[in-house]
């Protein structure tokens, strides 16, 4: 950061820490034991698509890479109402490590291909026997995680979110600014 940036109050963007995605398997164990939330085996990466052949080829390469595992279900692509693309990956719920690796690969490939500005978030789904649902969401530009617990249409289970935040604060870099806890309504796999 330069002198002028300091005077004008500008801050350098916080670097993403994609390797923190590899802490999700430990966080999953914590959620199982502390909150009774089990991994669903579904994760997704949300990004803004770009025009052009380079982006299209990169996206096709990602899908081909993830679909190369003959034992894994095919990767799904969907477009939400805001125009963001969701790349949905499914694995056996016990394979949280493999799912975290897949999410890391998608983020890394898009970033290295020059499309990092379009990356929004990634999430890993959880649920319990009573029907509560939760996503542990990774904010790409912040390099932090937050819990999102939809509770019906356009409402959230704030108590569950705060409880999960407290459970995971020693496992993952949790987002402290709750205004950044985006509601990802309709996100696939939650």
């Amino acid at each position: 950061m330069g002198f002028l940036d300091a005077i004008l109050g500008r801050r350098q963007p916080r670097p993403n820490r994609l390797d923190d995605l590899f802490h999700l398997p430990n966080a999953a164990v914590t959620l199982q034991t502390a909150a009774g939330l089990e991994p669903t085996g579904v994760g997704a990466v949300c990004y803004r698509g770009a025009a052009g052949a380079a982006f299209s080829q990169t996206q096709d390469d990602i899908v081909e890479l993830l679909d190369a595992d003959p034992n894994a279900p095919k990767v799904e692509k969907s477009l939400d109402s805001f125009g963001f693309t969701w790349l949905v990956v499914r694995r056996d719920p016990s394979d949280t490590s493999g799912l975290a690796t897949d999410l890391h690969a998608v983020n890394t490939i898009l970033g290295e291909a020059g499309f990092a500005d379009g990356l929004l978030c990634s999430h890993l789904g959880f649920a319990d026997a009573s029907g509560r649902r939760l996503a542990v969401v990774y904010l790409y530009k912040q390099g932090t995680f937050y819990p999102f617990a939809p509770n019906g249409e356009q409402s959230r289970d704030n108590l569950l979110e705060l409880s999960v935040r407290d459970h995971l604060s020693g496992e993952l870099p949790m987002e402290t600014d709750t205004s950044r806890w985006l509601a990802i309504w309709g996100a696939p796999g939650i």
Side-chain angles (χ1 to χ4, degrees), residues 48-113:
R48 182 179 55 246
F55 179 78
S56 181
Q57 183 61 49
T58 300
Q59 188 171 248
D60 290 345
D61 290 346
I62 291 169
V63 171
E64 184 180 334
L65 172 71
L66 297 177
D67 281 345
D69 182 354
N71 298 324
K74 295 292 183 199
V75 173
E76 302 165 21
K77 262 191 316 188
S78 66
L79 198 63
D80 68 17
S81 60
F82 298 105
F84 285 94
T85 301
W86 288 89
L87 201 60
V88 184
V89 182
R90 298 179 189 279
R91 285 195 172 258
D92 184 277
S94 65
D95 191 9
T96 308
S97 177
L99 193 52
T101 300
D102 291 343
L103 298 177
H104 185 276
V106 173
N107 282 285
T108 301
I109 293 169
L110 284 170
E112 288 178 353

Short mmCIF file of all heavy atoms in Angstrom, two decimals, residues 48-113:
data_model
loop_
_atom_site.label_atom_id
_atom_site.label_comp_id
_atom_site.label_asym_id
_atom_site.label_seq_id
_atom_site.Cartn_x
_atom_site.Cartn_y
_atom_site.Cartn_z
N ARG A 48 -19.63 -15.06 -12.02
CA ARG A 48 -20.23 -14.32 -13.13
C ARG A 48 -19.52 -14.76 -14.40
O ARG A 48 -18.30 -14.66 -14.51
CB ARG A 48 -20.06 -12.82 -12.89
CG ARG A 48 -20.69 -11.94 -13.96
CD ARG A 48 -20.52 -10.45 -13.69
NE ARG A 48 -19.13 -10.10 -13.51
CZ ARG A 48 -18.58 -9.66 -12.36
NH1 ARG A 48 -19.29 -9.53 -11.29
NH2 ARG A 48 -17.30 -9.35 -12.31
N GLY A 49 -20.28 -15.25 -15.33
CA GLY A 49 -19.71 -15.70 -16.59
C GLY A 49 -19.17 -14.52 -17.40
O GLY A 49 -19.54 -13.37 -17.18
N ALA A 50 -18.30 -14.83 -18.31
CA ALA A 50 -17.73 -13.81 -19.19
C ALA A 50 -17.99 -14.22 -20.63
O ALA A 50 -18.15 -15.40 -20.94
CB ALA A 50 -16.23 -13.68 -18.94
N ALA A 51 -18.03 -13.25 -21.50
CA ALA A 51 -18.22 -13.52 -22.91
C ALA A 51 -16.88 -13.93 -23.53
O ALA A 51 -15.82 -13.54 -23.06
CB ALA A 51 -18.76 -12.28 -23.62
N GLY A 52 -16.97 -14.73 -24.54
CA GLY A 52 -15.77 -15.07 -25.28
C GLY A 52 -15.41 -16.53 -25.23
O GLY A 52 -15.84 -17.29 -24.36
N ALA A 53 -14.58 -16.90 -26.19
CA ALA A 53 -14.18 -18.30 -26.34
C ALA A 53 -13.28 -18.76 -25.21
O ALA A 53 -13.36 -19.92 -24.79
CB ALA A 53 -13.47 -18.48 -27.69
N ALA A 54 -12.43 -17.89 -24.69
CA ALA A 54 -11.50 -18.29 -23.62
C ALA A 54 -12.27 -18.71 -22.36
O ALA A 54 -11.95 -19.73 -21.75
CB ALA A 54 -10.55 -17.15 -23.29
N PHE A 55 -13.29 -17.94 -22.00
CA PHE A 55 -14.07 -18.30 -20.81
C PHE A 55 -14.84 -19.59 -21.05
O PHE A 55 -14.88 -20.47 -20.19
CB PHE A 55 -15.03 -17.18 -20.42
CG PHE A 55 -15.87 -17.55 -19.23
CD1 PHE A 55 -15.32 -17.48 -17.96
CD2 PHE A 55 -17.16 -17.99 -19.38
CE1 PHE A 55 -16.06 -17.85 -16.85
CE2 PHE A 55 -17.92 -18.36 -18.28
CZ PHE A 55 -17.37 -18.29 -17.02
N SER A 56 -15.45 -19.69 -22.20
CA SER A 56 -16.22 -20.89 -22.53
C SER A 56 -15.33 -22.13 -22.49
O SER A 56 -15.72 -23.18 -21.95
CB SER A 56 -16.86 -20.74 -23.91
OG SER A 56 -17.61 -21.87 -24.23
N GLN A 57 -14.12 -22.02 -23.04
CA GLN A 57 -13.19 -23.16 -23.04
C GLN A 57 -12.76 -23.50 -21.61
O GLN A 57 -12.67 -24.67 -21.24
CB GLN A 57 -11.97 -22.86 -23.91
CG GLN A 57 -11.00 -24.02 -24.00
CD GLN A 57 -11.62 -25.25 -24.64
OE1 GLN A 57 -12.24 -25.17 -25.69
NE2 GLN A 57 -11.48 -26.40 -23.99
N THR A 58 -12.49 -22.48 -20.80
CA THR A 58 -12.09 -22.71 -19.41
C THR A 58 -13.20 -23.42 -18.65
O THR A 58 -12.96 -24.38 -17.92
CB THR A 58 -11.75 -21.37 -18.71
OG1 THR A 58 -10.67 -20.76 -19.43
CG2 THR A 58 -11.35 -21.58 -17.27
N GLN A 59 -14.43 -22.96 -18.82
CA GLN A 59 -15.57 -23.58 -18.15
C GLN A 59 -15.75 -25.03 -18.61
O GLN A 59 -15.97 -25.92 -17.79
CB GLN A 59 -16.83 -22.75 -18.45
CG GLN A 59 -18.04 -23.18 -17.68
CD GLN A 59 -19.17 -22.19 -17.86
OE1 GLN A 59 -19.51 -21.51 -16.92
NE2 GLN A 59 -19.75 -22.09 -19.05
N ASP A 60 -15.60 -25.28 -19.90
CA ASP A 60 -15.70 -26.65 -20.42
C ASP A 60 -14.58 -27.54 -19.85
O ASP A 60 -14.81 -28.70 -19.53
CB ASP A 60 -15.64 -26.66 -21.95
CG ASP A 60 -16.89 -26.07 -22.59
OD1 ASP A 60 -17.92 -25.91 -21.89
OD2 ASP A 60 -16.83 -25.75 -23.80
N ASP A 61 -13.38 -26.98 -19.72
CA ASP A 61 -12.25 -27.74 -19.16
C ASP A 61 -12.52 -28.12 -17.70
O ASP A 61 -12.19 -29.23 -17.28
CB ASP A 61 -10.95 -26.93 -19.25
CG ASP A 61 -10.44 -26.77 -20.67
OD1 ASP A 61 -10.93 -27.49 -21.58
OD2 ASP A 61 -9.56 -25.91 -20.87
N ILE A 62 -13.11 -27.20 -16.96
CA ILE A 62 -13.43 -27.49 -15.55
C ILE A 62 -14.44 -28.63 -15.46
O ILE A 62 -14.25 -29.58 -14.69
CB ILE A 62 -13.97 -26.22 -14.85
CG1 ILE A 62 -12.87 -25.20 -14.69
CG2 ILE A 62 -14.58 -26.58 -13.50
CD1 ILE A 62 -13.36 -23.83 -14.26
N VAL A 63 -15.50 -28.54 -16.24
CA VAL A 63 -16.52 -29.59 -16.22
C VAL A 63 -15.92 -30.93 -16.63
O VAL A 63 -16.18 -31.96 -16.01
CB VAL A 63 -17.72 -29.20 -17.11
CG1 VAL A 63 -18.69 -30.36 -17.27
CG2 VAL A 63 -18.43 -27.98 -16.55
N GLU A 64 -15.07 -30.91 -17.65
CA GLU A 64 -14.43 -32.15 -18.11
C GLU A 64 -13.53 -32.75 -17.03
O GLU A 64 -13.54 -33.96 -16.80
CB GLU A 64 -13.62 -31.87 -19.37
CG GLU A 64 -12.99 -33.11 -19.99
CD GLU A 64 -12.19 -32.80 -21.24
OE1 GLU A 64 -12.50 -31.79 -21.92
OE2 GLU A 64 -11.26 -33.56 -21.53
N LEU A 65 -12.79 -31.90 -16.35
CA LEU A 65 -11.91 -32.36 -15.28
C LEU A 65 -12.72 -33.01 -14.15
O LEU A 65 -12.39 -34.10 -13.69
CB LEU A 65 -11.10 -31.19 -14.72
CG LEU A 65 -10.26 -31.48 -13.47
CD1 LEU A 65 -9.08 -32.39 -13.82
CD2 LEU A 65 -9.78 -30.19 -12.84
N LEU A 66 -13.78 -32.35 -13.71
CA LEU A 66 -14.57 -32.88 -12.61
C LEU A 66 -15.39 -34.10 -13.02
O LEU A 66 -15.66 -34.97 -12.20
CB LEU A 66 -15.49 -31.79 -12.05
CG LEU A 66 -14.77 -30.59 -11.42
CD1 LEU A 66 -15.77 -29.55 -10.97
CD2 LEU A 66 -13.87 -31.01 -10.27
N ASP A 67 -15.79 -34.17 -14.27
CA ASP A 67 -16.54 -35.33 -14.76
C ASP A 67 -15.65 -36.52 -15.08
O ASP A 67 -16.14 -37.60 -15.40
CB ASP A 67 -17.35 -34.96 -16.01
CG ASP A 67 -18.63 -34.22 -15.68
OD1 ASP A 67 -19.04 -34.25 -14.50
OD2 ASP A 67 -19.23 -33.63 -16.60
N ALA A 68 -14.33 -36.35 -14.99
CA ALA A 68 -13.40 -37.44 -15.32
C ALA A 68 -13.49 -38.60 -14.33
O ALA A 68 -13.14 -39.73 -14.67
CB ALA A 68 -11.97 -36.92 -15.37
N ASP A 69 -13.95 -38.35 -13.12
CA ASP A 69 -14.12 -39.41 -12.12
C ASP A 69 -15.36 -40.22 -12.47
O ASP A 69 -16.48 -39.71 -12.37
CB ASP A 69 -14.25 -38.79 -10.73
CG ASP A 69 -14.38 -39.83 -9.63
OD1 ASP A 69 -14.48 -41.04 -9.93
OD2 ASP A 69 -14.38 -39.43 -8.45
N PRO A 70 -15.20 -41.48 -12.89
CA PRO A 70 -16.35 -42.28 -13.31
C PRO A 70 -17.32 -42.60 -12.16
O PRO A 70 -18.47 -42.92 -12.40
CB PRO A 70 -15.73 -43.56 -13.87
CG PRO A 70 -14.39 -43.64 -13.24
CD PRO A 70 -13.95 -42.23 -12.97
N ASN A 71 -16.86 -42.49 -10.92
CA ASN A 71 -17.71 -42.81 -9.78
C ASN A 71 -18.49 -41.60 -9.27
O ASN A 71 -19.35 -41.74 -8.40
CB ASN A 71 -16.86 -43.37 -8.63
CG ASN A 71 -16.17 -44.65 -9.04
OD1 ASN A 71 -16.73 -45.46 -9.77
ND2 ASN A 71 -14.95 -44.84 -8.59
N ALA A 72 -18.17 -40.43 -9.76
CA ALA A 72 -18.83 -39.21 -9.29
C ALA A 72 -19.96 -38.82 -10.24
O ALA A 72 -19.86 -39.03 -11.45
CB ALA A 72 -17.82 -38.07 -9.19
N PRO A 73 -21.04 -38.27 -9.69
CA PRO A 73 -22.11 -37.78 -10.56
C PRO A 73 -21.61 -36.64 -11.44
O PRO A 73 -20.64 -35.97 -11.11
CB PRO A 73 -23.17 -37.26 -9.58
CG PRO A 73 -22.83 -37.86 -8.27
CD PRO A 73 -21.36 -38.11 -8.28
N LYS A 74 -22.28 -36.43 -12.53
CA LYS A 74 -21.91 -35.36 -13.45
C LYS A 74 -22.08 -34.00 -12.79
O LYS A 74 -22.96 -33.79 -11.97
CB LYS A 74 -22.78 -35.41 -14.72
CG LYS A 74 -22.57 -36.67 -15.53
CD LYS A 74 -21.20 -36.69 -16.13
CE LYS A 74 -21.00 -37.92 -17.00
NZ LYS A 74 -19.63 -38.22 -17.24
N VAL A 75 -21.21 -33.09 -13.16
CA VAL A 75 -21.27 -31.72 -12.68
C VAL A 75 -22.47 -31.05 -13.34
O VAL A 75 -22.74 -31.26 -14.52
CB VAL A 75 -19.97 -30.97 -13.03
CG1 VAL A 75 -20.07 -29.51 -12.69
CG2 VAL A 75 -18.80 -31.61 -12.34
N GLU A 76 -23.19 -30.25 -12.56
CA GLU A 76 -24.35 -29.52 -13.09
C GLU A 76 -24.02 -28.04 -13.17
O GLU A 76 -23.35 -27.51 -12.30
CB GLU A 76 -25.55 -29.70 -12.16
CG GLU A 76 -25.95 -31.13 -11.94
CD GLU A 76 -26.90 -31.27 -10.75
OE1 GLU A 76 -27.54 -30.26 -10.36
OE2 GLU A 76 -26.99 -32.37 -10.20
N LYS A 77 -24.52 -27.40 -14.21
CA LYS A 77 -24.39 -25.95 -14.36
C LYS A 77 -25.79 -25.36 -14.34
O LYS A 77 -26.69 -25.88 -14.98
CB LYS A 77 -23.74 -25.61 -15.70
CG LYS A 77 -22.29 -25.32 -15.62
CD LYS A 77 -21.72 -24.72 -16.89
CE LYS A 77 -22.17 -25.36 -18.16
NZ LYS A 77 -21.47 -24.89 -19.33
N SER A 78 -25.96 -24.29 -13.57
CA SER A 78 -27.25 -23.61 -13.59
C SER A 78 -27.01 -22.11 -13.51
O SER A 78 -25.97 -21.65 -13.04
CB SER A 78 -28.14 -24.09 -12.44
OG SER A 78 -27.59 -23.71 -11.19
N LEU A 79 -27.98 -21.38 -14.00
CA LEU A 79 -27.93 -19.92 -14.01
C LEU A 79 -29.01 -19.42 -13.07
O LEU A 79 -30.16 -19.85 -13.16
CB LEU A 79 -28.17 -19.41 -15.44
CG LEU A 79 -27.77 -18.01 -15.78
CD1 LEU A 79 -26.25 -17.84 -15.65
CD2 LEU A 79 -28.19 -17.66 -17.19
N ASP A 80 -28.65 -18.51 -12.15
CA ASP A 80 -29.66 -18.01 -11.22
C ASP A 80 -30.33 -16.75 -11.79
O ASP A 80 -29.97 -16.27 -12.87
CB ASP A 80 -29.09 -17.79 -9.82
CG ASP A 80 -28.08 -16.66 -9.72
OD1 ASP A 80 -28.02 -15.80 -10.63
OD2 ASP A 80 -27.35 -16.62 -8.72
N SER A 81 -31.29 -16.23 -11.05
CA SER A 81 -32.06 -15.08 -11.53
C SER A 81 -31.24 -13.79 -11.61
O SER A 81 -31.67 -12.82 -12.22
CB SER A 81 -33.28 -14.87 -10.63
OG SER A 81 -32.88 -14.62 -9.30
N PHE A 82 -30.06 -13.78 -10.99
CA PHE A 82 -29.19 -12.60 -11.04
C PHE A 82 -28.15 -12.70 -12.16
O PHE A 82 -27.31 -11.82 -12.30
CB PHE A 82 -28.49 -12.40 -9.70
CG PHE A 82 -29.44 -12.15 -8.56
CD1 PHE A 82 -29.70 -13.14 -7.64
CD2 PHE A 82 -30.08 -10.94 -8.43
CE1 PHE A 82 -30.58 -12.94 -6.60
CE2 PHE A 82 -30.97 -10.71 -7.39
CZ PHE A 82 -31.22 -11.71 -6.48
N GLY A 83 -28.17 -13.80 -12.90
CA GLY A 83 -27.23 -13.98 -14.00
C GLY A 83 -25.92 -14.64 -13.61
O GLY A 83 -24.99 -14.69 -14.41
N PHE A 84 -25.83 -15.15 -12.38
CA PHE A 84 -24.62 -15.84 -11.94
C PHE A 84 -24.74 -17.32 -12.28
O PHE A 84 -25.82 -17.90 -12.25
CB PHE A 84 -24.41 -15.68 -10.43
CG PHE A 84 -23.90 -14.32 -10.04
CD1 PHE A 84 -24.78 -13.33 -9.64
CD2 PHE A 84 -22.55 -14.04 -10.08
CE1 PHE A 84 -24.32 -12.08 -9.29
CE2 PHE A 84 -22.08 -12.78 -9.72
CZ PHE A 84 -22.97 -11.80 -9.33
N THR A 85 -23.61 -17.91 -12.61
CA THR A 85 -23.55 -19.34 -12.90
C THR A 85 -23.16 -20.09 -11.65
O THR A 85 -22.28 -19.66 -10.91
CB THR A 85 -22.50 -19.61 -14.01
OG1 THR A 85 -22.87 -18.88 -15.18
CG2 THR A 85 -22.41 -21.09 -14.33
N TRP A 86 -23.85 -21.19 -11.41
CA TRP A 86 -23.53 -22.09 -10.29
C TRP A 86 -23.04 -23.39 -10.90
O TRP A 86 -23.73 -24.01 -11.69
CB TRP A 86 -24.77 -22.35 -9.44
CG TRP A 86 -25.19 -21.19 -8.61
CD1 TRP A 86 -26.05 -20.19 -8.99
CD2 TRP A 86 -24.77 -20.88 -7.29
NE1 TRP A 86 -26.19 -19.29 -7.98
CE2 TRP A 86 -25.42 -19.69 -6.91
CE3 TRP A 86 -23.92 -21.52 -6.38
CZ2 TRP A 86 -25.24 -19.11 -5.67
CZ3 TRP A 86 -23.76 -20.93 -5.14
CH2 TRP A 86 -24.40 -19.75 -4.79
N LEU A 87 -21.84 -23.78 -10.53
CA LEU A 87 -21.30 -25.07 -10.93
C LEU A 87 -21.45 -25.98 -9.72
O LEU A 87 -20.81 -25.77 -8.69
CB LEU A 87 -19.82 -24.91 -11.32
CG LEU A 87 -19.23 -25.99 -12.20
CD1 LEU A 87 -19.98 -26.06 -13.52
CD2 LEU A 87 -17.78 -25.70 -12.46
N VAL A 88 -22.33 -26.96 -9.82
CA VAL A 88 -22.70 -27.81 -8.69
C VAL A 88 -21.98 -29.15 -8.79
O VAL A 88 -22.04 -29.81 -9.82
CB VAL A 88 -24.23 -28.04 -8.65
CG1 VAL A 88 -24.62 -28.85 -7.42
CG2 VAL A 88 -24.97 -26.73 -8.71
N VAL A 89 -21.32 -29.53 -7.69
CA VAL A 89 -20.57 -30.77 -7.62
C VAL A 89 -21.21 -31.64 -6.53
O VAL A 89 -21.51 -31.16 -5.45
CB VAL A 89 -19.08 -30.50 -7.28
CG1 VAL A 89 -18.29 -31.79 -7.25
CG2 VAL A 89 -18.48 -29.52 -8.26
N ARG A 90 -21.41 -32.90 -6.84
CA ARG A 90 -21.99 -33.84 -5.87
C ARG A 90 -21.01 -34.99 -5.64
O ARG A 90 -20.39 -35.48 -6.57
CB ARG A 90 -23.32 -34.39 -6.37
CG ARG A 90 -24.36 -33.32 -6.56
CD ARG A 90 -25.67 -33.89 -7.09
NE ARG A 90 -26.58 -32.83 -7.47
CZ ARG A 90 -27.34 -32.14 -6.64
NH1 ARG A 90 -27.31 -32.42 -5.36
NH2 ARG A 90 -28.13 -31.18 -7.07
N ARG A 91 -20.90 -35.38 -4.39
CA ARG A 91 -20.06 -36.51 -3.99
C ARG A 91 -20.77 -37.25 -2.87
O ARG A 91 -21.74 -36.76 -2.31
CB ARG A 91 -18.69 -36.05 -3.52
CG ARG A 91 -17.78 -35.61 -4.64
CD ARG A 91 -16.36 -35.52 -4.13
NE ARG A 91 -15.43 -35.29 -5.21
CZ ARG A 91 -14.66 -36.24 -5.73
NH1 ARG A 91 -14.71 -37.47 -5.29
NH2 ARG A 91 -13.82 -35.95 -6.70
N ASP A 92 -20.23 -38.39 -2.52
CA ASP A 92 -20.74 -39.11 -1.37
C ASP A 92 -20.62 -38.18 -0.16
O ASP A 92 -19.58 -37.54 0.03
CB ASP A 92 -19.92 -40.38 -1.15
CG ASP A 92 -20.46 -41.21 -0.03
OD1 ASP A 92 -20.13 -40.90 1.15
OD2 ASP A 92 -21.22 -42.17 -0.31
N PRO A 93 -21.66 -38.08 0.68
CA PRO A 93 -21.59 -37.16 1.83
C PRO A 93 -20.39 -37.40 2.75
O PRO A 93 -19.94 -36.47 3.43
CB PRO A 93 -22.90 -37.42 2.57
CG PRO A 93 -23.84 -37.88 1.50
CD PRO A 93 -22.98 -38.69 0.56
N SER A 94 -19.85 -38.60 2.75
CA SER A 94 -18.69 -38.87 3.61
C SER A 94 -17.38 -38.36 2.99
O SER A 94 -16.35 -38.36 3.65
CB SER A 94 -18.58 -40.37 3.90
OG SER A 94 -18.31 -41.07 2.70
N ASP A 95 -17.42 -37.93 1.73
CA ASP A 95 -16.22 -37.49 1.03
C ASP A 95 -16.13 -35.96 0.99
O ASP A 95 -16.01 -35.34 -0.07
CB ASP A 95 -16.18 -38.07 -0.38
CG ASP A 95 -14.84 -37.86 -1.06
OD1 ASP A 95 -13.87 -37.41 -0.40
OD2 ASP A 95 -14.76 -38.11 -2.29
N THR A 96 -16.18 -35.34 2.14
CA THR A 96 -16.07 -33.88 2.23
C THR A 96 -14.72 -33.41 1.72
O THR A 96 -14.61 -32.34 1.12
CB THR A 96 -16.28 -33.42 3.69
OG1 THR A 96 -17.49 -33.99 4.17
CG2 THR A 96 -16.38 -31.92 3.78
N SER A 97 -13.70 -34.21 1.93
CA SER A 97 -12.36 -33.86 1.46
C SER A 97 -12.33 -33.77 -0.07
O SER A 97 -11.77 -32.83 -0.63
CB SER A 97 -11.36 -34.91 1.96
OG SER A 97 -10.09 -34.64 1.47
N GLY A 98 -12.93 -34.75 -0.74
CA GLY A 98 -12.98 -34.73 -2.20
C GLY A 98 -13.78 -33.56 -2.72
O GLY A 98 -13.42 -32.92 -3.72
N LEU A 99 -14.87 -33.24 -2.03
CA LEU A 99 -15.70 -32.11 -2.42
C LEU A 99 -14.95 -30.78 -2.25
O LEU A 99 -15.00 -29.91 -3.12
CB LEU A 99 -16.99 -32.11 -1.61
CG LEU A 99 -18.12 -31.21 -2.06
CD1 LEU A 99 -18.46 -31.43 -3.52
CD2 LEU A 99 -19.35 -31.45 -1.19
N ALA A 100 -14.23 -30.65 -1.15
CA ALA A 100 -13.43 -29.45 -0.93
C ALA A 100 -12.35 -29.31 -2.02
O ALA A 100 -12.08 -28.20 -2.50
CB ALA A 100 -12.78 -29.48 0.45
N THR A 101 -11.77 -30.42 -2.42
CA THR A 101 -10.76 -30.41 -3.48
C THR A 101 -11.38 -29.96 -4.80
O THR A 101 -10.79 -29.16 -5.54
CB THR A 101 -10.12 -31.80 -3.64
OG1 THR A 101 -9.51 -32.16 -2.40
CG2 THR A 101 -9.09 -31.83 -4.75
N ASP A 102 -12.60 -30.44 -5.09
CA ASP A 102 -13.28 -30.03 -6.32
C ASP A 102 -13.57 -28.53 -6.32
O ASP A 102 -13.35 -27.85 -7.32
CB ASP A 102 -14.59 -30.80 -6.49
CG ASP A 102 -14.38 -32.28 -6.78
OD1 ASP A 102 -13.25 -32.67 -7.17
OD2 ASP A 102 -15.34 -33.05 -6.62
N LEU A 103 -14.07 -28.01 -5.19
CA LEU A 103 -14.36 -26.58 -5.10
C LEU A 103 -13.09 -25.75 -5.26
O LEU A 103 -13.07 -24.72 -5.94
CB LEU A 103 -15.04 -26.25 -3.77
CG LEU A 103 -16.40 -26.92 -3.51
CD1 LEU A 103 -16.91 -26.56 -2.12
CD2 LEU A 103 -17.40 -26.56 -4.58
N HIS A 104 -12.01 -26.22 -4.65
CA HIS A 104 -10.72 -25.54 -4.76
C HIS A 104 -10.27 -25.53 -6.23
O HIS A 104 -9.79 -24.49 -6.73
CB HIS A 104 -9.69 -26.26 -3.89
CG HIS A 104 -8.37 -25.58 -3.83
ND1 HIS A 104 -7.39 -25.77 -4.79
CD2 HIS A 104 -7.85 -24.71 -2.93
CE1 HIS A 104 -6.33 -25.05 -4.49
NE2 HIS A 104 -6.57 -24.40 -3.36
N ALA A 105 -10.41 -26.65 -6.91
CA ALA A 105 -9.98 -26.75 -8.31
C ALA A 105 -10.74 -25.76 -9.19
O ALA A 105 -10.15 -25.08 -10.03
CB ALA A 105 -10.16 -28.17 -8.82
N VAL A 106 -12.06 -25.67 -9.00
CA VAL A 106 -12.86 -24.75 -9.82
C VAL A 106 -12.40 -23.31 -9.60
O VAL A 106 -12.15 -22.57 -10.55
CB VAL A 106 -14.36 -24.90 -9.49
CG1 VAL A 106 -15.17 -23.82 -10.21
CG2 VAL A 106 -14.87 -26.29 -9.87
N ASN A 107 -12.26 -22.91 -8.33
CA ASN A 107 -11.82 -21.55 -8.02
C ASN A 107 -10.43 -21.28 -8.58
O ASN A 107 -10.17 -20.22 -9.16
CB ASN A 107 -11.81 -21.32 -6.51
CG ASN A 107 -13.19 -21.08 -5.95
OD1 ASN A 107 -13.74 -20.01 -6.11
ND2 ASN A 107 -13.75 -22.07 -5.30
N THR A 108 -9.52 -22.22 -8.42
CA THR A 108 -8.14 -22.05 -8.87
C THR A 108 -8.07 -21.91 -10.38
O THR A 108 -7.40 -21.01 -10.91
CB THR A 108 -7.27 -23.22 -8.40
OG1 THR A 108 -7.30 -23.27 -6.97
CG2 THR A 108 -5.84 -23.08 -8.86
N ILE A 109 -8.75 -22.80 -11.09
CA ILE A 109 -8.69 -22.76 -12.56
C ILE A 109 -9.28 -21.47 -13.10
O ILE A 109 -8.70 -20.83 -13.98
CB ILE A 109 -9.39 -24.01 -13.15
CG1 ILE A 109 -8.60 -25.27 -12.80
CG2 ILE A 109 -9.55 -23.87 -14.66
CD1 ILE A 109 -9.33 -26.57 -13.11
N LEU A 110 -10.44 -21.05 -12.57
CA LEU A 110 -11.02 -19.79 -13.04
C LEU A 110 -10.10 -18.61 -12.71
O LEU A 110 -9.92 -17.71 -13.53
CB LEU A 110 -12.40 -19.58 -12.41
CG LEU A 110 -13.53 -20.42 -13.01
CD1 LEU A 110 -14.79 -20.31 -12.17
CD2 LEU A 110 -13.81 -20.01 -14.45
N GLY A 111 -9.52 -18.62 -11.52
CA GLY A 111 -8.62 -17.54 -11.14
C GLY A 111 -7.38 -17.48 -12.00
O GLY A 111 -6.98 -16.40 -12.47
N GLU A 112 -6.77 -18.63 -12.23
CA GLU A 112 -5.54 -18.67 -13.03
C GLU A 112 -5.78 -18.36 -14.49
O GLU A 112 -4.87 -17.91 -15.19
CB GLU A 112 -4.85 -20.02 -12.87
CG GLU A 112 -4.22 -20.20 -11.50
CD GLU A 112 -3.58 -21.57 -11.31
OE1 GLU A 112 -3.72 -22.45 -12.19
OE2 GLU A 112 -2.94 -21.75 -10.25
N ALA A 113 -7.00 -18.59 -14.96
CA ALA A 113 -7.32 -18.29 -16.36
C ALA A 113 -7.68 -16.81 -16.55
O ALA A 113 -8.01 -16.40 -17.65
CB ALA A 113 -8.46 -19.18 -16.83
#
